[in-house]
């Protein structure tokens, strides 16, 4: 395989989820596990909790549901809250705990035994990437979904990006609120203009980082798509209204130019919150013209690129969480994806599948657990 398709040089260590305790998360009752360094497999019928188990692990990284659910909706029915507790090795933190009190609507996060004063400081305490058939939505859905992919990937690996994203979103909310002010109560355009500088300054940081990430990974994206089995030429580009020469000044000018239009519409029509990550195959946009299988392949490649980004940022092999990722994929493609995941020495892997027969050949040696009605138990050999 060509060097272009290799995702990164092997890091010096692998992140290891040494211990995990779950209480009342989704339908999961109480469970304490000590996953082996190479990982484990959770087997269970749909609806019994195997995906919830992976979500619980990833929650400790993202501090929110990877599926977009509210914290209150993650609490097991009839319970007062949920609690997650992890011990880690080879990661930025040694311990991470999250407790959510449903009545108080309050979340408490601790890192290495100390309360995190800000959630932003606790994000990305350990590297992990999750692959799921639902990832095809990244390709098929509206641009917002692909922007979220970029934001999560970059915010969890770059403190400056996370800070700029937080400030940008706050300024955007304030500007939109000003644009929706009833006419006559205040000069709408003047009120909105007060937030233009913050949007231009921080928006420029976002656009530069996104462009740099796309430029750095475009060739790798094409090589990985080919390695998995796509015959066409894969490409990706960052699509936005600016030319990229002076991001800050171009955004400042665009906000001024569209201010009257924004006042009529009651929202900000220009900025990185309107941009897109365009993916194509043989110059045809995948979102519009790609097949379901092509969407799956492109989404898996994005996760491989995310894994490489985490590996470079943390100098650690990330945990790999696989939610029945090879469903509807042929055996050859599934084997190739596992090979690509393992090229740099795949880290601890947690696989969730409905049947033992769904375990790929490369993962059959992993310790096996079963889940039924939210109860996890180690399988008897």
């Amino acid at each position: 395989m060509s060097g272009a398709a290799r995702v990164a040089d092997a890091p010096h260590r692998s992140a290891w989820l040494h211990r995990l305790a779950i209480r009342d998360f989704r339908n999961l009752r109480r469970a304490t596990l000590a996953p082996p360094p190479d990982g484990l497999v959770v087997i269970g019928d749909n609806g019994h909790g195997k995906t919830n188990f992976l979500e619980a692990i990833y929650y400790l990284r993202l501090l929110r549901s990877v599926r977009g659910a509210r914290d209150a909706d993650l609490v097991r029915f009839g319970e007062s809250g949920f609690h997650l507790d992890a011990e880690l090795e080879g990661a930025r933190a040694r311990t991470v705990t999250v407790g959510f009190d449903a009545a108080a609507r309050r979340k408490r996060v601790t890192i290495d035994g100390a309360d995190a004063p800000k959630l932003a400081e606790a994000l990305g305490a350990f590297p992990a990437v999750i692959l799921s058939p639902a990832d095809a939505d990244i390709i098929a859905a509206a641009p917002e979904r692909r922007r979220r992919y970029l934001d999560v990937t970059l915010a969890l690996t770059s403190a400056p990006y996370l800070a700029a994203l937080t400030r940008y979103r706050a300024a955007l909310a304030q500007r939109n609120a000003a644009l929706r002010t009833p006419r006559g109560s205040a000069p709408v355009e003047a009120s909105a203009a007060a937030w233009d500088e913050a949007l231009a300054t921080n928006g420029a940081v976002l656009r530069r980082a996104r462009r740099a990430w796309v430029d750095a990974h475009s060739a790798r994206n094409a090589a990985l798509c080919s390695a998995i089995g796509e015959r066409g030429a894969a490409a990706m580009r960052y699509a936005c209204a600016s030319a990229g020469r002076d991001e800050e000044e171009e955004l400042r000018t665009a906000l001024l130019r569209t201010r009257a239009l924004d006042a009529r519409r009651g929202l900000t029509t220009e900025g990185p919150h309107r941009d897109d990550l365009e993916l194509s195959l043989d110059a045809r946009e995948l979102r519009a013209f790609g097949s379901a299988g092509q969407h799956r392949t492109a989404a898996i490649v994005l996760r491989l690129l995310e894994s490489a980004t985490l590996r470079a940022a943390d100098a650690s092999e990330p945990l790999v969480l696989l939610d029945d990722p090879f469903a509807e994929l042929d055996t050859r493609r599934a084997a190739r994806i596992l090979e690509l995941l393992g090229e740099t020495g795949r880290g601890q892997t947690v696989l969730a599948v409905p049947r033992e027969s769904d375990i790929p050949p490369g993962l059959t040696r992993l310790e096996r657990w079963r889940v039924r009605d939210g109860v996890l138990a180690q399988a008897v050999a």
Side-chain angles (χ1 to χ4, degrees):
M1 183 177 178
S2 70
R6 295 186 180 276
V7 291
D9 293 333
H12 299 296
R13 59 182 183 174
S14 292
W16 173 19
L17 181 61
H18 190 268
R19 176 184 169 276
L20 175 67
I22 302 171
R23 188 183 75 222
D24 297 328
F25 184 90
R26 293 276 193 184
N27 75 325
L28 301 175
R29 301 179 186 183
R30 291 175 184 261
T32 301
L33 301 85
D38 57 346
L40 56 83
V41 180
V42 177
I43 304 164
D45 291 336
N46 293 336
H48 282 260
K50 61 184 185 296
T51 296
N52 296 341
F53 177 70
L54 298 182
E55 184 180 13
I57 297 174
Y58 202 77
Y59 190 102
L60 290 161
R61 171 173 172 75
L62 195 58
L63 302 181
R64 59 193 288 184
S65 166
V66 70
R67 292 188 275 178
R70 301 177 305 165
D71 284 335
D73 296 330
L74 301 177
V75 179
R76 194 164 71 89
F77 183 75
E79 300 301 325
S80 60
F82 67 78
H83 190 269
L84 304 172
D85 185 347
E87 295 177 9
L88 305 149
E89 292 188 19
R92 177 165 64 86
R94 295 300 302 271
T95 65
V96 183
T97 68
V98 179
F100 176 72
D101 184 326
R105 301 271 174 168
R106 183 182 304 150
K107 177 160 53 185
R108 182 188 179 194
V109 179
T110 70
I111 300 293
D112 292 333
D115 286 338
K118 296 181 180 179
L119 288 183
E121 296 177 11
L123 286 170
F126 65 95
V129 62
I130 185 167
L131 285 77
S132 163
D135 288 340
D137 189 51
I138 300 174
I139 313 302
E144 179 182 7
R145 187 67 182 84
R146 290 177 291 284
R147 288 194 299 270
R148 184 174 185 273
Y149 165 81
L150 287 174
D151 284 340
V152 170
T153 299
L154 294 171
L156 294 184
T157 54
S158 167
Y161 189 93
L162 175 59
L165 180 64
T166 301
R167 291 191 293 263
Y168 182 87
R169 287 177 172 174
L172 180 63
Q174 293 286 355
R175 190 178 194 268
N176 285 343
L179 291 168
R180 291 192 292 269
T181 300
R183 292 187 177 276
S185 59
V188 173
E189 291 185 33
S191 298
W195 301 100
D196 286 5
E197 190 60 30
L199 288 177
T201 301
N202 293 291
V205 174
L206 303 185
R207 278 183 168 168
R208 282 194 292 266
R210 291 175 181 178
R211 284 186 195 276
W213 187 90
V214 171
D215 289 346
H217 292 87
S218 289
R220 194 167 294 158
N221 171 72
L224 289 171
C225 284
S226 176
I228 291 174
E230 287 300 342
R231 297 179 180 178
M236 67 177 178
R237 76 179 189 94
Y238 185 61
C240 75
S242 72
R245 288 185 289 271
D246 185 339
E247 297 285 9
E248 190 169 332
E249 186 56 34
E250 288 181 57
L251 185 49
R252 189 179 290 114
T253 300
L255 290 167
L256 174 61
R257 185 183 65 251
T258 60
R259 196 178 295 156
L261 172 65
D262 293 351
R264 290 195 299 273
R265 293 186 175 181
L267 54 84
T268 303
T269 58
E270 175 58 48
H273 63 288
R274 308 281 290 187
D275 298 345
D276 195 4
L277 174 63
E278 288 189 357
L279 298 143
S280 63
L281 199 62
D282 284 339
R284 293 168 63 85
E285 187 182 3
L286 275 174
R287 179 192 175 195
F289 301 105
S291 67
Q294 289 169 337
H295 289 172
R296 289 290 309 281
T297 297
I300 288 169
V301 167
L302 287 182
R303 292 305 188 197
L304 291 171
L305 297 178
E306 179 184 352
S307 180
T309 305
L310 299 179
R311 189 181 302 112
D314 293 329
S316 181
E317 197 67 47
L319 274 74
V320 179
L321 308 177
L322 303 174
D323 185 11
D324 199 13
F326 309 124
E328 301 177 12
L329 286 180
D330 60 72
T331 303
R332 183 185 62 81
R333 287 202 179 205
R336 193 69 188 103
I337 292 163
L338 276 179
E339 182 182 337
L340 291 167
L341 279 168
E343 273 198 342
T344 57
R346 184 177 61 247
Q348 188 180 41
T349 301
V350 181
L351 171 67
V353 290
R355 296 168 296 274
E356 289 197 44
S357 59
D358 295 320
I359 302 174
L363 300 177
T364 54
R365 294 185 179 182
L366 294 181
E367 181 176 287
R368 299 185 186 188
W369 285 67
R370 296 188 182 277
V371 62
R372 183 177 178 84
D373 294 329
V375 177
L376 283 156
Q378 189 169 358
V380 178

